Amino acid sequence: MLMEGAPQNDIGYYYAYPSQFADAENVRQVMLAQGAADIDSPVVAAAGGLLSLTLDDPRAEAGGLINLSVGSYDERRVFARIDTGRIGSTGLKGFISYSNNRADNWRGAGHDQRQHIDAKLLNEWGEGNRASIAFSFNDAKTSTYPSPGKADWEASGRGYNFDERYSEGNTNYWRLYRAPFRNFYVAAPVHLKLSDTLNFDSSAYLQMGHGNSPYGTQLATTGNYLGSEELTQPIDLPGAVDGVATVMGNWTGKQFRVGDVSKLTLQAGAHRIVAGLWFDYGTDRVTQSYTSIDADGRPVDQWGYQDKAIRTADGRLLAYENQRTETVTKGFFLADSIAVTPKLGIDIGFKGVNLLRNGRNYLPGPQSRVRIDSFAALPRAAIHYQLDDRQQLFANITTNFRTPNEFALYDSYYGGELVSQGTDRLKNEYSISQELGYRYIGPSLSFSLTAFHYHFRNRQVATVIDSGGALVNSTINAGSQSSYGLDGEIDYRPAKGMSIYASAEYLHTRLNDDLAINGDYLPTRGKRAVSAPSFQFALGSTYDDGRLFGSSALKYVGRQYATFMNDESIKGYATLDLSVGVHLAGLIDAQVMDLRINAINVTNPRVLSGVYSIGTNAQDTVGRNGTLITGSAPTYYVGSGRAVVATLSRAF
């Protein structure tokens, strides 16, 4: 995930959270590149594709925009943006925007709040030179929704929620699961035309964040451990009854990341040569501590700061996890695009990435420091042939990699015993992707058809695990996996102001290895991959006649397996979004003014929409060596309910 050329995911767990990014009003372009990421992209976990956002440029003339929205679940949002226009004779122009959003949870008790600021300053000069700096600040308090298993869903449906009111000893109270987070992003892309044949590009970036993903739990005044060390003295627990108190468990993360990717592009006859370097430095401080709550169930500190957390009798922080990871990434790339003939082009390239993690486990125990150093060689090649002005054939082969996330490095303890041993003998996921396709671009009709084949080694499957009560993003090494399929898309514009878009994908996946489980092997060879629907389909349309406008978006997602054994799955489902509006300019005054109504998930299907925490096997299964491997239930995301939002937008 990139914004203005800067990575938006955290370097430790690779997760990106779109609600933290730029407001939609400030986004000029959204691009989804399936398969391999561009060779100059500063990412290490893009084996499945890359999503890139480009912010809107500041306007040449001073002005502004105000959006006011109200809707379902007591939704209230205000957005305001001001553009400076060109500032004197400097050539600079900029914008700054602020938004404030508040809405009740769509199911269960609680509400979300979000404040956001975007800003961008741009200067353009000469023939194509430009430099900009963009800022994005987000401050949010987001509720967690409990994820049911199949039995929970069948028993409670959408009623599977946290409790609205607190009672003594209740760890299921919604305020104990409300996650605050602040983050700040800076991106500074520069493009310089050094000569008629040589260009220089640089994208420097900075990322900082701090937040908490809390949960409800109970602690006793005695019988506690710090890592492998038994605490012989009782701890002080405000509100304890018979030596037990309900507390808020904290999973706090404090991230810092800075980097730059720079490249030179040389046009030399039939060759377009790109060469560049990438450097990235990041730190991630993770602490799982505990905070007291008052008699009404409210935590004394929602952020989980250490100075307000529960301490041991000798003043140390009582923590279930306590670690700091430093990640250094260094990469280089070289590519050549060759115009062999006016119709035939060949692209070749190579990217090398070295990733080093140094970590410190602050818990008492056998593990103190961890270190892992890996290098990935990523060659690629592509060929494209222009049949005529509208038709093109293309084929490519690319490679990608992904390192296991940092959680796998560290030991975890429960009751003083080692329950999960970290390791530095981790293997990177490595993928080889092949694509073959046809593309047609016409005046009113465009379409493409692409056949693909992916092969993964050490496939890192994302999941969520329970670590002492905290739900933590992690990965499972699923071994070798093969995938092949077909992608198709059509864009048809039958008349001015009207468009119809359709896309579909068929995907066949196969696990090539049995899964190692506690000294035995689960017989997963030949099974389908988890969270990989065999069929997906989307149909959308837009209409705008200058006064009335609208859009529709229909999406179908097929069956998804939730375990490596394919012994539990969720069925396919469809969603439908609609939007209608009217341009009010000329009816009231000449200023641009729109009124629109968005209806989200119109059909309101009551479905499970995705796999939250995958399982190895849901049913008890005999391993290859005869061991009975106990099943465990996966958990799922619940498809959201219907919502309607009305927005009044006015430019000035």
Side-chain angles (χ1 to χ4, degrees):
M1 174 77 186
L2 301 178
M3 186 172 72
E4 293 286 284
Q8 301 298 289
N9 58 295
D10 69 73
I11 193 62
Y13 296 86
Y14 307 123
Y15 272 75
Y17 304 92
S19 63
Q20 298 176 0
F21 304 154
D23 282 322
E25 293 90 340
N26 296 324
V27 176
R28 183 182 68 197
Q29 185 181 60
V30 179
M31 293 183 61
L32 176 61
Q34 295 182 341
D38 291 338
I39 198 168
D40 59 349
S41 298
V43 293
V44 295
L50 183 68
L51 183 67
S52 300
L53 303 182
T54 302
L55 290 184
D56 189 23
D57 282 345
R59 308 287 193 267
E61 302 293 332
L65 175 69
I66 294 178
N67 286 349
L68 302 175
S69 301
V70 294
S72 304
Y73 311 110
D74 200 20
E75 160 83 8
R76 289 167 286 171
R77 180 178 185 267
V78 59
F79 169 88
R81 166 172 160 163
I82 296 176
D83 284 81
T84 65
R86 295 195 182 277
I87 304 173
S89 60
T90 64
L92 293 171
K93 53 184 179 178
F95 77 77
I96 185 169
S97 71
Y98 169 80
S99 68
N100 189 308
N101 192 15
R102 189 267 184 210
D104 291 340
N105 290 356
W106 75 269
R107 73 176 224 260
H111 61 275
D112 290 348
Q113 295 172 288
R114 176 183 183 266
Q115 296 186 86
H116 190 89
I117 297 173
D118 289 325
K120 185 174 181 179
L121 191 64
L122 170 67
N123 193 13
E124 297 174 298
W125 69 96
E127 297 182 10
N129 299 301
R130 60 180 281 146
S132 65
I133 184 167
F135 305 89
S136 189
F137 172 77
N138 196 75
D139 184 339
K141 293 181 175 66
T142 307
S143 299
T144 302
Y145 293 96
S147 300
K150 274 288 190 71
D152 301 318
W153 175 250
E154 291 170 0
S156 304
R158 290 180 175 177
Y160 185 77
N161 299 310
F162 294 121
D163 296 334
E164 183 177 0
R165 291 180 174 81
Y166 178 74
S167 58
E168 186 177 307
N170 183 7
T171 62
N172 203 46
Y173 182 46
W174 72 271
R175 290 188 184 276
L176 302 180
Y177 295 84
R178 196 159 183 248
F181 202 91
R182 291 192 185 108
N183 55 278
F184 181 59
Y185 299 98
V186 182
V190 175
H191 175 77
L192 301 176
K193 186 176 181 181
L194 303 180
S195 71
D196 290 340
T197 59
L198 184 63
N199 293 324
F200 171 77
D201 291 275
S202 175
S203 295
Y205 54 87
L206 170 70
Q207 179 187 125
M208 295 184 291
H210 174 79
N212 188 15
S213 297
Y215 58 96
T217 188
Q218 289 189 325
L219 287 179
T221 56
T222 59
N224 295 295
Y225 291 81
L226 194 62
S228 61
E229 177 188 334
E230 182 179 6
L231 300 178
T232 58
Q233 298 297 317
I235 59 175
D236 180 27
L237 290 178
V241 177
D242 296 328
V244 177
T246 300
V247 299
M248 184 177 76
N250 305 301
W251 181 274
T252 60
K254 185 176 183 179
Q255 294 95 30
F256 172 83
R257 189 177 184 186
V258 64
D260 178 81
V261 56
S262 296
K263 66 180 181 180
L264 287 169
T265 304
L266 174 67
Q267 188 69 49
H271 296 266
R272 183 175 180 270
I273 302 170
V274 177
L277 298 172
W278 172 37
F279 176 80
D280 186 290
Y281 173 83
T283 60
D284 189 16
R285 184 72 168 90
V286 171
T287 308
Q288 189 173 353
S289 60
Y290 305 93
T291 298
S292 298
I293 63 175
D294 64 20
D296 296 324
R298 295 173 180 264
V300 298
D301 170 35
Q302 198 172 46
W303 290 86
Y305 290 122
Q306 293 189 19
D307 60 348
K308 296 182 180 179
I310 294 170
R311 298 272 168 171
T312 65
D314 58 4
R316 290 177 293 171
L317 181 71
L318 182 66
Y320 189 87
E321 303 279 352
N322 193 351
Q323 59 216 207
R324 181 183 185 273
T325 309
E326 179 183 85
T327 304
V328 179
T329 308
K330 292 176 283 187
F332 65 91
F333 51 90
L334 178 65
D336 188 7
S337 296
I338 309 167
V340 180
T341 71
K343 291 188 174 184
L344 177 64
I346 296 176
D347 302 327
I348 56 174
F350 181 86
K351 185 175 185 177
V353 180
N354 175 258
L355 190 142
L356 169 67
R357 292 198 199 273
N358 280 311
R360 175 77 184 273
N361 191 341
Y362 294 98
L363 293 179
Q367 184 188 60
S368 174
R369 297 186 181 275
V370 297
R371 175 186 172 91
I372 184 171
D373 194 354
S374 65
F375 177 82
L378 306 171
R380 60 175 59 199
I383 185 170
H384 44 90
Y385 183 77
Q386 204 76 26
L387 297 173
D388 54 33
D389 291 342
R390 301 193 183 282
Q391 301 180 84
Q392 184 187 71
L393 297 174
F394 59 91
N396 61 67
I397 179 169
T398 56
T399 54
N400 273 294
F401 86 111
R402 172 186 175 127
T403 60
N405 72 34
E406 66 184 42
F407 183 78
L409 294 171
Y410 294 99
D411 289 351
S412 293
Y413 305 89
Y414 182 79
E417 299 293 329
L418 182 66
V419 293
S420 176
Q421 185 169 13
T423 178
D424 57 5
R425 296 186 296 274
L426 300 170
K427 296 181 179 180
N428 290 338
E429 173 184 295
Y430 193 87
S431 66
I432 302 174
S433 309
Q434 296 123 7
E435 295 181 341
L436 175 65
Y438 168 82
R439 183 181 296 118
Y440 173 85
I441 301 176
S444 61
L445 176 67
S446 300
F447 64 89
S448 67
L449 189 64
T450 305
F452 59 86
H453 177 268
Y454 300 153
H455 179 74
F456 298 88
R457 296 200 308 262
N458 301 301
R459 175 65 161 156
Q460 301 295 323
V461 180
T463 187
V464 176
I465 64 172
D466 188 319
S467 176
L471 298 176
V472 182
N473 294 320
S474 187
T475 52
I476 296 176
N477 189 327
S480 173
Q481 177 185 316
S482 298
S483 306
Y484 64 83
L486 198 63
D487 278 329
E489 55 183 348
I490 299 174
D491 181 25
Y492 178 49
R493 301 176 183 271
K496 183 180 179 181
M498 181 181 296
S499 68
I500 300 172
Y501 174 82
S503 66
E505 179 185 81
Y506 168 74
L507 173 66
H508 179 86
T509 61
R510 184 184 189 276
L511 302 180
N512 300 322
D513 292 328
D514 291 331
L515 188 66
I517 300 286
N518 297 328
D520 204 339
Y521 290 90
L522 200 63
T524 55
R525 188 186 307 119
K527 303 295 185 182
R528 299 291 183 91
V530 296
S531 302
S534 296
F535 184 72
Q536 296 187 73
F537 173 78
L539 177 65
S541 65
T542 62
Y543 174 81
D544 192 336
D545 64 8
R547 180 63 68 190
L548 300 177
F549 63 92
S551 66
S552 66
L554 172 68
K555 183 178 181 180
Y556 171 79
V557 179
R559 177 181 296 274
Q560 301 175 62
Y561 287 107
T563 67
F564 290 102
M565 279 299 297
N566 295 172
D567 54 2
E568 188 167 303
S569 64
I570 56 175
K571 61 183 180 181
Y573 66 94
T575 60
L576 175 64
D577 299 338
L578 298 174
S579 175
V580 295
V582 57
H583 298 298
L584 299 175
L587 297 179
I588 299 176
D589 56 26
Q591 295 291 341
V592 175
M593 188 172 181
D594 295 336
L595 175 64
R596 64 179 179 272
I597 297 176
N598 295 318
I600 304 162
N601 205 11
V602 174
T603 56
N604 197 28
R606 296 174 179 268
V607 296
L608 298 173
S609 59
V611 184
Y612 179 72
S613 178
I614 63 176
T616 55
N617 52 303
Q619 308 298 323
D620 293 349
T621 304
V622 177
R624 296 290 190 191
N625 297 331
T627 304
L628 182 65
I629 301 173
T630 305
S632 59
T635 58
Y636 301 93
Y637 293 102
V638 177
S640 61
R642 181 191 299 118
V644 178
V645 179
T647 300
L648 180 64
S649 176
R650 181 176 174 85
F652 58 90

